[in-house]
Amino acid sequence: MNFEKICVLGLGYIGLPTASTFATHGVRVIGVDVDQRVVGVLRSGEIHIHEPGLRTRVQAAFRSGTLQVSDTPEKADAFIIAVPTPIRDDKTADMRAVISATEAITPHLAPGNLVVLESTSPPRTTVDLVRPILERGGLKAGGDFHLAYSPERVLPGQILRELIENARVIGGIDHASAEAGAELYRTFVCGDILLTDATTAEMVKLMENTYRDINIAAANEFARLAHEFGINFWEARRLANLHPRVEILKAGPGVGGHCISVDPWFLVEAAPKCTPLIRQAREINDSQPAFVVGLLEKALGGLAGKQIAALGLSYKPDVDDLRESPAITIVELMIEAGARVCTFEPFKPEAVVPGAAPAVSLEEALSGADALVLLVDHEQFRSLDPALIAGLLPGRLAVDTRGVWGAEWKDAGFQLQTLGKGKNDG
Ligand code: SAJ
């Protein structure tokens, strides 16, 4: 097949890196987003998300003349759907963006085209949801056009490298579709390209993230047990992980981001009777913010009227992504418990949690605070000098929910409370 021109629908954390990478590899790309603000920002030469190296790649794509941005798709050789699949409050998948992106492609679909769904989706979405919409145009999937599912497995913060280097799974509704997908992604993928069927490919993605969620839930539960038994989870973890077949993940304030905290619910929704473990792991991770706030309340003898400096709001270190962030839930719970909270998120200083005061600098966040709580282990927070902080923070309590601060905090005169440290050994 010859892929001279492609349309990428959805220009978010996955679509924009994908569109710009195809474009810098010589393919003509129409990047489509229904959000006029996104289209406007990109047309002005800026980008709307923070991802290392992305601005440079997008600008290179524009300079080479191969990338264009639009609010509607047009005729192309291939279409890639990379739109969000959020969950609703009742934990069911909201597939509206996939449905409308697919509907937008249907009128432009021509014989020989390839359509690839990349959005993380419940099992059978490609065959049961996307296929019938595309076939409304009169063409048959498999016979007239190719249809495949290819999960995106890149790690935010390392997207540009992983997009190229990671192995890529491509599941076709038939073998020819999988082959067509392989040919498309070979444009830039250096990792292995692994062919399978569409529903298996959907499950691969959901299984990977569910596996991680369950393992983080185990780590969080071990950390709670450490408080119960007066031991240090981090030390026990280090020793356990010396076993050749054990790899306990890190305990933390909970699981955020748009992937791991969402995807397992797709399996629970699709097959509730088969998924008690998956549901339980989600519930454990979702209740971790309350556990953290409980630690803080205990250390401060209640939160009412206390001034807390909350460091970090993003869902994990060194990214600006606040989606489903447990740090935000913790701030909300502290406010509910009567605390006055000042937040500082260096990757998004303008981010506001209702009821909290956003600080634009560390100094501002610490000023007047009774305690500081580390919610995200951004590099700049990991390497904070406690002696310097001691001069800025009136209170003497430091709470570390990431297990990254050590004895130097005690040396600087702080009472250090670390998640997972049931005994105060620094
Ligand atoms: N977390 C812990 N303890 C750990 C590891 C992570 O509490 O030991 C927390 C993080 O703080 C964060 C959340 O889990 O809140 C998720 O972070 P993450 O770095 O594990 O994963 P994501 O959501 O950034 O990216 C995941 C990756 N999936 C897997 O590692 C199986 C990535 O490869 C996927 O492409 C991505 O989901 C996605 O798009 O689905």
Side-chain angles (χ1 to χ4, degrees), residues 262-277:
V262 172
D263 301 355
W265 288 117
F266 293 174
L267 294 175
V268 175
E269 181 190 1
K273 287 208 179 86
C274 304
T275 48
L277 172 67

PDB file of all heavy atoms in Angstrom, residues 262-277:
ATOM      1  N   VAL A 262      -8.271   4.430  34.570  1.00  0.00           N
ATOM      2  CA  VAL A 262      -9.503   4.372  33.779  1.00  0.00           C
ATOM      3  C   VAL A 262      -9.698   2.994  33.136  1.00  0.00           C
ATOM      4  O   VAL A 262     -10.755   2.373  33.243  1.00  0.00           O
ATOM      5  CB  VAL A 262      -9.453   5.444  32.655  1.00  0.00           C
ATOM      6  CG1 VAL A 262     -10.625   5.293  31.704  1.00  0.00           C
ATOM      7  CG2 VAL A 262      -9.413   6.845  33.249  1.00  0.00           C
ATOM      8  N   ASP A 263      -8.645   2.502  32.486  1.00  0.00           N
ATOM      9  CA  ASP A 263      -8.796   1.320  31.623  1.00  0.00           C
ATOM     10  C   ASP A 263      -9.362   0.085  32.322  1.00  0.00           C
ATOM     11  O   ASP A 263     -10.179  -0.639  31.730  1.00  0.00           O
ATOM     12  CB  ASP A 263      -7.451   0.973  30.966  1.00  0.00           C
ATOM     13  CG  ASP A 263      -6.913   2.120  30.123  1.00  0.00           C
ATOM     14  OD1 ASP A 263      -7.635   3.124  29.979  1.00  0.00           O
ATOM     15  OD2 ASP A 263      -5.783   2.009  29.620  1.00  0.00           O
ATOM     16  N   PRO A 264      -8.937  -0.201  33.579  1.00  0.00           N
ATOM     17  CA  PRO A 264      -9.484  -1.421  34.208  1.00  0.00           C
ATOM     18  C   PRO A 264     -11.014  -1.400  34.303  1.00  0.00           C
ATOM     19  O   PRO A 264     -11.655  -2.440  34.227  1.00  0.00           O
ATOM     20  CB  PRO A 264      -8.849  -1.411  35.605  1.00  0.00           C
ATOM     21  CG  PRO A 264      -7.574  -0.626  35.431  1.00  0.00           C
ATOM     22  CD  PRO A 264      -7.922   0.434  34.449  1.00  0.00           C
ATOM     23  N   TRP A 265     -11.586  -0.177  34.416  1.00  0.00           N
ATOM     24  CA  TRP A 265     -13.050  -0.102  34.498  1.00  0.00           C
ATOM     25  C   TRP A 265     -13.704  -0.607  33.222  1.00  0.00           C
ATOM     26  O   TRP A 265     -14.836  -1.084  33.236  1.00  0.00           O
ATOM     27  CB  TRP A 265     -13.511   1.334  34.788  1.00  0.00           C
ATOM     28  CG  TRP A 265     -13.235   1.795  36.182  1.00  0.00           C
ATOM     29  CD1 TRP A 265     -12.422   2.828  36.552  1.00  0.00           C
ATOM     30  CD2 TRP A 265     -13.763   1.260  37.404  1.00  0.00           C
ATOM     31  NE1 TRP A 265     -12.413   2.964  37.919  1.00  0.00           N
ATOM     32  CE2 TRP A 265     -13.223   2.017  38.475  1.00  0.00           C
ATOM     33  CE3 TRP A 265     -14.635   0.209  37.710  1.00  0.00           C
ATOM     34  CZ2 TRP A 265     -13.528   1.766  39.817  1.00  0.00           C
ATOM     35  CZ3 TRP A 265     -14.939  -0.043  39.038  1.00  0.00           C
ATOM     36  CH2 TRP A 265     -14.394   0.724  40.064  1.00  0.00           C
ATOM     37  N   PHE A 266     -13.015  -0.488  32.068  1.00  0.00           N
ATOM     38  CA  PHE A 266     -13.602  -0.978  30.814  1.00  0.00           C
ATOM     39  C   PHE A 266     -13.851  -2.485  30.900  1.00  0.00           C
ATOM     40  O   PHE A 266     -14.822  -3.002  30.358  1.00  0.00           O
ATOM     41  CB  PHE A 266     -12.675  -0.694  29.624  1.00  0.00           C
ATOM     42  CG  PHE A 266     -12.504   0.767  29.289  1.00  0.00           C
ATOM     43  CD1 PHE A 266     -11.584   1.148  28.316  1.00  0.00           C
ATOM     44  CD2 PHE A 266     -13.243   1.754  29.908  1.00  0.00           C
ATOM     45  CE1 PHE A 266     -11.408   2.490  27.984  1.00  0.00           C
ATOM     46  CE2 PHE A 266     -13.070   3.090  29.582  1.00  0.00           C
ATOM     47  CZ  PHE A 266     -12.150   3.461  28.616  1.00  0.00           C
ATOM     48  N   LEU A 267     -12.932  -3.177  31.605  1.00  0.00           N
ATOM     49  CA  LEU A 267     -13.100  -4.626  31.748  1.00  0.00           C
ATOM     50  C   LEU A 267     -14.198  -4.934  32.758  1.00  0.00           C
ATOM     51  O   LEU A 267     -14.985  -5.855  32.562  1.00  0.00           O
ATOM     52  CB  LEU A 267     -11.774  -5.260  32.190  1.00  0.00           C
ATOM     53  CG  LEU A 267     -10.649  -5.181  31.154  1.00  0.00           C
ATOM     54  CD1 LEU A 267      -9.348  -5.731  31.728  1.00  0.00           C
ATOM     55  CD2 LEU A 267     -11.024  -5.955  29.889  1.00  0.00           C
ATOM     56  N   VAL A 268     -14.239  -4.134  33.830  1.00  0.00           N
ATOM     57  CA  VAL A 268     -15.275  -4.355  34.850  1.00  0.00           C
ATOM     58  C   VAL A 268     -16.654  -4.137  34.228  1.00  0.00           C
ATOM     59  O   VAL A 268     -17.583  -4.928  34.432  1.00  0.00           O
ATOM     60  CB  VAL A 268     -15.062  -3.424  36.065  1.00  0.00           C
ATOM     61  CG1 VAL A 268     -16.197  -3.564  37.069  1.00  0.00           C
ATOM     62  CG2 VAL A 268     -13.718  -3.731  36.741  1.00  0.00           C
ATOM     63  N   GLU A 269     -16.773  -3.075  33.422  1.00  0.00           N
ATOM     64  CA  GLU A 269     -18.063  -2.790  32.785  1.00  0.00           C
ATOM     65  C   GLU A 269     -18.448  -3.915  31.810  1.00  0.00           C
ATOM     66  O   GLU A 269     -19.590  -4.355  31.779  1.00  0.00           O
ATOM     67  CB  GLU A 269     -18.002  -1.452  32.016  1.00  0.00           C
ATOM     68  CG  GLU A 269     -19.339  -1.100  31.364  1.00  0.00           C
ATOM     69  CD  GLU A 269     -19.255   0.083  30.387  1.00  0.00           C
ATOM     70  OE1 GLU A 269     -18.158   0.652  30.183  1.00  0.00           O
ATOM     71  OE2 GLU A 269     -20.302   0.428  29.818  1.00  0.00           O
ATOM     72  N   ALA A 270     -17.457  -4.382  31.052  1.00  0.00           N
ATOM     73  CA  ALA A 270     -17.752  -5.373  30.011  1.00  0.00           C
ATOM     74  C   ALA A 270     -18.101  -6.736  30.614  1.00  0.00           C
ATOM     75  O   ALA A 270     -18.881  -7.483  30.028  1.00  0.00           O
ATOM     76  CB  ALA A 270     -16.559  -5.501  29.055  1.00  0.00           C
ATOM     77  N   ALA A 271     -17.513  -7.062  31.766  1.00  0.00           N
ATOM     78  CA  ALA A 271     -17.745  -8.394  32.336  1.00  0.00           C
ATOM     79  C   ALA A 271     -17.662  -8.325  33.865  1.00  0.00           C
ATOM     80  O   ALA A 271     -16.706  -8.821  34.462  1.00  0.00           O
ATOM     81  CB  ALA A 271     -16.721  -9.381  31.774  1.00  0.00           C
ATOM     82  N   PRO A 272     -18.680  -7.728  34.498  1.00  0.00           N
ATOM     83  CA  PRO A 272     -18.589  -7.501  35.945  1.00  0.00           C
ATOM     84  C   PRO A 272     -18.394  -8.773  36.764  1.00  0.00           C
ATOM     85  O   PRO A 272     -17.675  -8.765  37.755  1.00  0.00           O
ATOM     86  CB  PRO A 272     -19.923  -6.824  36.294  1.00  0.00           C
ATOM     87  CG  PRO A 272     -20.740  -6.821  35.064  1.00  0.00           C
ATOM     88  CD  PRO A 272     -19.910  -7.209  33.909  1.00  0.00           C
ATOM     89  N   LYS A 273     -18.993  -9.869  36.310  1.00  0.00           N
ATOM     90  CA  LYS A 273     -18.906 -11.112  37.116  1.00  0.00           C
ATOM     91  C   LYS A 273     -17.502 -11.698  37.098  1.00  0.00           C
ATOM     92  O   LYS A 273     -17.114 -12.430  38.008  1.00  0.00           O
ATOM     93  CB  LYS A 273     -19.898 -12.139  36.569  1.00  0.00           C
ATOM     94  CG  LYS A 273     -21.340 -11.805  36.882  1.00  0.00           C
ATOM     95  CD  LYS A 273     -22.182 -13.082  36.969  1.00  0.00           C
ATOM     96  CE  LYS A 273     -23.617 -12.778  37.292  1.00  0.00           C
ATOM     97  NZ  LYS A 273     -24.411 -12.484  36.079  1.00  0.00           N
ATOM     98  N   CYS A 274     -16.733 -11.404  36.049  1.00  0.00           N
ATOM     99  CA  CYS A 274     -15.396 -12.012  35.917  1.00  0.00           C
ATOM    100  C   CYS A 274     -14.300 -11.150  36.529  1.00  0.00           C
ATOM    101  O   CYS A 274     -13.122 -11.498  36.424  1.00  0.00           O
ATOM    102  CB  CYS A 274     -15.030 -12.202  34.442  1.00  0.00           C
ATOM    103  SG  CYS A 274     -16.188 -13.144  33.515  1.00  0.00           S
ATOM    104  N   THR A 275     -14.657  -9.998  37.122  1.00  0.00           N
ATOM    105  CA  THR A 275     -13.594  -9.034  37.422  1.00  0.00           C
ATOM    106  C   THR A 275     -13.557  -8.516  38.870  1.00  0.00           C
ATOM    107  O   THR A 275     -13.269  -7.337  39.094  1.00  0.00           O
ATOM    108  CB  THR A 275     -13.734  -7.820  36.456  1.00  0.00           C
ATOM    109  OG1 THR A 275     -15.119  -7.405  36.449  1.00  0.00           O
ATOM    110  CG2 THR A 275     -13.298  -8.143  35.060  1.00  0.00           C
ATOM    111  N   PRO A 276     -13.790  -9.388  39.884  1.00  0.00           N
ATOM    112  CA  PRO A 276     -13.774  -8.868  41.262  1.00  0.00           C
ATOM    113  C   PRO A 276     -12.409  -8.323  41.664  1.00  0.00           C
ATOM    114  O   PRO A 276     -12.318  -7.313  42.372  1.00  0.00           O
ATOM    115  CB  PRO A 276     -14.158 -10.091  42.115  1.00  0.00           C
ATOM    116  CG  PRO A 276     -13.875 -11.280  41.264  1.00  0.00           C
ATOM    117  CD  PRO A 276     -14.085 -10.836  39.844  1.00  0.00           C
ATOM    118  N   LEU A 277     -11.323  -8.958  41.238  1.00  0.00           N
ATOM    119  CA  LEU A 277      -9.975  -8.518  41.609  1.00  0.00           C
ATOM    120  C   LEU A 277      -9.671  -7.152  40.991  1.00  0.00           C
ATOM    121  O   LEU A 277      -9.133  -6.250  41.639  1.00  0.00           O
ATOM    122  CB  LEU A 277      -8.939  -9.551  41.125  1.00  0.00           C
ATOM    123  CG  LEU A 277      -7.477  -9.160  41.263  1.00  0.00           C
ATOM    124  CD1 LEU A 277      -7.086  -9.068  42.730  1.00  0.00           C
ATOM    125  CD2 LEU A 277      -6.580 -10.158  40.540  1.00  0.00           C
TER     126      LEU A 277
END
